[in-house]
Amino acid sequence: MTSQVSSPADQADEANDADQASEAVLGEQRAPQSDKPGADGKEIRRLDRVIIRFAGDSGDGMQLTGDRFTSETASFGNDLSTLPNFPAEIRAPAGTLPGVSSFQLHFADHDILTPGDAPNVLVAMNPAALKANIDDVPRGAEIIVNTDEFTKRPMAKVGYETSPLEDGSLQAYNVHPVPLTTLTIEALKEFGLSRKEAERSKNMFALGLLSWMYHRPTDGTEAFLRSKFAKKPQIAEANVAAFRAGWNFGETTEDFAVSYEVAPAAHTFPTGTYRNISGNLALSYGLIAASRQADLPLYLGSYPITPASDILHELSKHKNFGVRTFQAEDEIAGIGAALGAAFGGSLAVTTTSGPGVALKSETIGLAVSLELPLIIVDIQRGGPSTGLPTKTEQADLLQAMYGRNGEAPVPVVAPRTPADCFEAALDAARIALTYRTPVFLLSDGYLANGSEPWRIPQIDELPDLQVQFATGPNHELADGTEVFWPYKRDPQTLARPWAVPGTPGLEHRIGGIEKQDGTGNISYDPANHDFMVRTRQAKVDGIEVPDLEVDDPSGARTLVLGWGSTYGPITAAVRRLRAAGQPIAQAHLRHLNPFPRNLGEVLKRYDKVVVPEMNLGQLATLVRAKYLVDAHSYNQVNGMPFKAEQLAAALKEAIDA
């Protein structure tokens, strides 16, 4: 969905000020701004932001429900951030805690940065969903439960000896008991569906109820359902009927006496056309844009792996842009084909997660030796080994830096938000094409599956990535003969020429054995190997990256340094601390190899440097080793992103200490 947003530049600063105030409220809704009666006579309460979590079995359609609510929220013009949370087991038994799937959405009338720490509204489709999520729900929040599932057997599966709906354990919450299954089946009687088929639409009933409760648009969802089930019109209309029944239930029942409005965030955004976008989708679009700006065909050699597979799925849809996708038989074949495409003159990409990087490591080293442009997209997940396939982590940084035999330096780029994955893909392509090197792009599951509004850029805003292939001889021998030397380097970038196979006169040898400088012939000479190793390192060290920007409005003595997806929680925590009068500086790294040239000078300005990471201190280790700065790690490896309140407390402790 796209929407037009117009906004004067001076209002953006006001929006940031408003967000700082809201972030000072630790995970709670602010007081309603105004009340008014609706057309149905019920009270409509105006809020500035809301956090909703849908939770149920993996077969209950919670991801689809959350995605549809998000799409309508984006089209309405709210700022938003999402956190889909998938079960780690593919087929966990129904009604069990390991099988719970959830989708959290934070939307607001101002600039927000995270999916929120705690839901204001929990929709629990069964006892397992309630038990798995209740600890995150603050007192006074609203809980909508599907009472049809709170029978003896489902409750026993998750350890409820008595019904939490009747034993008083939920007295601290505003509980709405709704027989979602019964109401859905009743609403779909006219369609002649079996009970099982009708039950599948209960998520649409819940979506309709929440859409009424928060005044979300409905036309887009109805059009989506008719399109999704175009080949099964009866099922399409049944889902639409369930969706409308949920809306009507909210409008007519006395249990929901209040509905809520969250105004569009038009004043927050620069003028432009916006759409909701996930990290993997933004990354896919960024790769396509890079190939168009480079005027090169895009080739993806990949093997399906969670959570990177969506990129393969998306790019396979865009053959009209010259995209070729190859689903290989394994990870090694995927990167081998991609490297072959790079040799052939394509913008070559391979996508994977941490376990796949381990298998690809030898070919990455080969790409370093061949000095060919290749983008390695690593959507990080919990490890080691298979680990937590559907959960997020930042633990592949040292693997990207050093996980190859020999001295094999590779640049590393990390996006910070879902929408920023688009820019990071362009940046990775710039480095790969300019410096003739493989490049790591380190995203993670939090960014890949999360979403936020993204301003669609104009073509003239994109960088020019065109490259010049070698077309003829580039070296003159002593006897005047002109020849092509494949390792004769550009004096500025140290990049070697890129010769498309089949170009007359540019025949040359490639392979993993060390090359002689200039000629590219096989060389076992120790001095030449030393020179080539140092030259490849110098090429990476010399990559042009912007200086690190530091946000420090009050001359703080403590700096919080982050990278990748920690940007949102860190920034939200920093805003909370500043709103409470605490001075703290913030800097966030996009380029991890090479580091920005001013990083050492920045770090030495501060008495304390705190590095929050979803690993056991990998960036902190690199910073300590390179700059001899006592960087303090703050770590989390539970498969979930940091919470802003949690980080704010840790940073406050660091400031006070």
Side-chain angles (χ1 to χ4, degrees):
M1 292 244 178
T2 60
S3 57
Q4 284 288 140
V5 178
S6 297
S7 158
D10 58 342
Q11 290 182 334
D13 294 332
E14 297 172 11
N16 287 334
D17 293 340
D19 186 50
Q20 289 181 23
S22 73
E23 293 290 355
V25 182
L26 302 185
E28 301 174 1
Q29 288 174 288
R30 282 192 282 171
Q33 298 173 353
S34 63
D35 297 340
K36 61 181 180 181
D40 54 7
K42 294 186 177 183
E43 178 186 343
I44 299 177
R45 193 167 296 169
R46 181 86 176 271
L47 301 174
D48 70 331
R49 65 189 182 111
V50 175
I51 304 167
I52 297 174
R53 184 181 297 177
F54 298 93
D57 266 336
S58 57
D60 283 339
M62 295 296 92
Q63 302 305 321
L64 175 62
T65 305
D67 183 68
R68 288 314 313 161
F69 196 96
T70 299
S71 293
E72 298 298 354
T73 297
S75 69
F76 188 71
N78 295 117
D79 194 15
L80 60 90
S81 180
T82 68
L83 177 62
N85 189 10
F86 304 93
E89 294 187 35
I90 296 174
R91 290 291 181 187
T96 62
L97 294 176
V100 173
S101 174
S102 68
F103 188 105
Q104 182 161 305
L105 165 68
H106 183 190
F107 62 103
D109 65 1
H110 58 276
D111 173 34
I112 57 174
L113 299 160
T114 74
D117 287 357
N120 308 118
V121 182
L122 171 66
V123 180
M125 302 298 281
N126 59 22
L130 178 66
K131 188 162 190 177
N133 291 280
I134 191 63
D135 288 345
D136 292 337
V137 182
R139 296 171 63 89
E142 302 204 53
I143 301 176
I144 300 171
V145 292
N146 179 14
T147 56
D148 288 325
E149 291 295 323
F150 280 75
T151 57
K152 187 173 182 180
R153 185 177 179 188
M155 289 191 295
K157 281 186 180 180
V158 294
Y160 281 132
E161 296 181 2
T162 60
S163 172
L165 307 181
E166 300 172 356
D167 63 9
S169 60
L170 300 179
Q171 284 184 347
Y173 310 98
N174 186 14
V175 179
H176 301 276
V178 180
L180 286 171
T181 306
T182 299
L183 291 172
T184 302
I185 293 172
E186 184 67 25
L188 303 186
K189 272 186 175 180
E190 64 181 276
F191 293 93
L193 302 175
S194 68
R195 179 182 177 88
K196 186 175 182 180
E197 288 174 325
E199 281 185 12
R200 289 174 180 164
S201 297
K202 63 180 180 288
N203 63 323
M204 288 298 105
F205 189 101
L207 177 59
L209 173 58
L210 268 292
S211 297
W212 169 83
M213 195 171 174
Y214 289 96
H215 295 262
R216 298 296 91 184
T218 60
D219 291 347
T221 293
E222 292 190 10
F224 167 82
L225 291 171
R226 291 190 172 102
S227 173
K228 180 178 176 64
F229 299 106
K231 295 181 180 180
K232 298 180 178 180
Q234 184 186 34
I235 299 297
E237 293 307 317
N239 277 283
V240 170
F243 176 67
R244 291 177 177 176
W247 178 286
N248 293 334
F249 178 79
E251 197 170 42
T252 57
T253 183
E254 295 182 1
D255 191 37
F256 292 88
V258 179
S259 63
Y260 304 91
E261 282 186 352
V262 180
H267 59 283
T268 300
F269 301 126
T271 301
T273 300
Y274 286 79
R275 61 157 293 159
N276 183 49
I277 201 165
S278 68
N280 274 352
L281 184 58
L283 203 156
S284 300
Y285 287 174
L287 293 172
I288 295 171
S291 75
R292 303 301 288 178
Q293 292 303 104
D295 196 23
L296 296 175
L298 177 63
Y299 184 94
L300 174 66
S302 185
Y303 180 76
I305 184 171
T306 301
S309 299
D310 287 343
I311 302 171
L312 171 61
H313 300 158
E314 182 61 34
L315 290 180
S316 67
K317 302 175 184 177
H318 297 287
K319 296 180 179 65
N320 56 311
F321 286 118
V323 179
R324 294 184 179 179
T325 53
F326 170 56
Q327 181 174 319
E329 65 268 29
D330 55 42
E331 296 281 5
I332 299 171
I335 190 173
L339 186 56
F343 178 58
S346 293
L347 176 59
V349 183
T350 189
T351 53
T352 191
S353 188
V357 173
L359 292 168
K360 295 178 189 289
S361 61
E362 183 179 6
T363 307
I364 297 171
L366 176 59
V368 171
S369 177
L370 298 181
E371 300 188 45
L372 286 171
L374 174 66
I375 300 173
I376 304 112
V377 177
D378 178 4
I379 312 296
Q380 300 167 94
R381 71 189 205 188
S385 187
T386 307
L388 302 175
T390 61
K391 310 301 181 183
T392 194
E393 207 164 88
Q394 285 184 300
D396 294 351
L397 176 56
L398 293 183
Q399 182 185 32
M401 291 283 288
Y402 302 119
R404 293 163 296 284
N405 64 294
E407 295 288 345
V410 176
V412 181
V413 175
R416 63 186 189 178
T417 69
D420 188 48
C421 289
F422 179 87
E423 298 293 338
L426 286 167
D427 202 13
R430 172 190 69 86
I431 294 171
L433 295 172
T434 303
Y435 297 92
R436 311 284 196 269
T437 178
V439 177
F440 262 103
L441 198 165
L442 290 184
S443 179
D444 60 42
Y446 173 37
L447 296 184
N449 297 314
S451 62
E452 65 177 347
W454 171 59
R455 187 179 72 85
I456 301 172
Q458 300 297 314
I459 297 297
D460 58 10
E461 296 174 350
L462 301 178
D464 182 0
L465 300 178
Q466 290 202 13
V467 297
Q468 297 296 322
F469 289 109
T471 57
N474 62 359
H475 183 77
E476 185 175 338
L477 299 177
D479 62 2
T481 304
E482 291 188 338
V483 297
F484 175 67
W485 276 15
Y487 282 82
K488 185 170 184 177
R489 301 178 182 278
D490 181 290
Q492 298 298 320
T493 65
L494 299 182
R496 75 174 188 87
W498 194 3
V500 176
T503 306
L506 303 190
E507 297 83 0
H508 59 284
R509 179 182 288 110
I510 66 167
I513 298 178
E514 186 63 277
K515 312 295 184 300
Q516 184 182 42
D517 178 46
T519 68
N521 295 329
I522 290 175
S523 173
Y524 297 102
D525 178 61
N528 176 76
H529 176 60
D530 183 274
F531 177 82
M532 293 294 278
V533 167
R534 295 178 186 276
T535 300
R536 288 189 288 262
Q537 183 65 59
K539 181 173 69 170
V540 172
D541 291 342
I543 290 172
E544 184 178 341
V545 302
D547 279 351
L548 180 66
E549 295 182 2
V550 182
D551 178 17
D552 185 6
S554 56
R557 303 312 307 160
T558 299
L559 171 72
V560 54
L561 179 69
W563 69 278
S565 67
T566 56
Y567 173 78
I570 289 174
T571 306
V574 166
R575 288 181 179 180
R576 293 181 181 197
L577 290 172
R578 289 177 182 171
Q582 296 288 333
I584 188 166
Q586 178 188 2
H588 208 79
L589 291 166
R590 149 84 51 89
H591 299 94
L592 296 149
N593 192 30
F595 284 131
R597 286 168 176 74
N598 69 331
L599 176 57
E601 182 270 326
V602 166
L603 295 174
K604 290 175 182 176
R605 285 188 224 156
Y606 296 92
D607 297 336
K608 295 177 185 174
V609 177
V610 182
V611 185
E613 299 179 80
M614 292 186 293
N615 57 47
L616 294 183
Q618 297 186 16
L619 175 60
T621 297
L622 293 173
V623 166
R624 290 190 194 110
K626 186 172 179 66
Y627 301 106
L628 304 181
V629 170
D630 186 18
H632 299 267
S633 291
Y634 183 75
N635 312 119
Q636 175 175 295
V637 282
N638 62 3
M640 298 295 289
F642 286 112
K643 293 182 177 179
E645 181 178 3
Q646 162 197 2
L647 277 181
L651 295 175
K652 173 74 162 54
E653 184 177 338
I655 293 171
D656 292 343

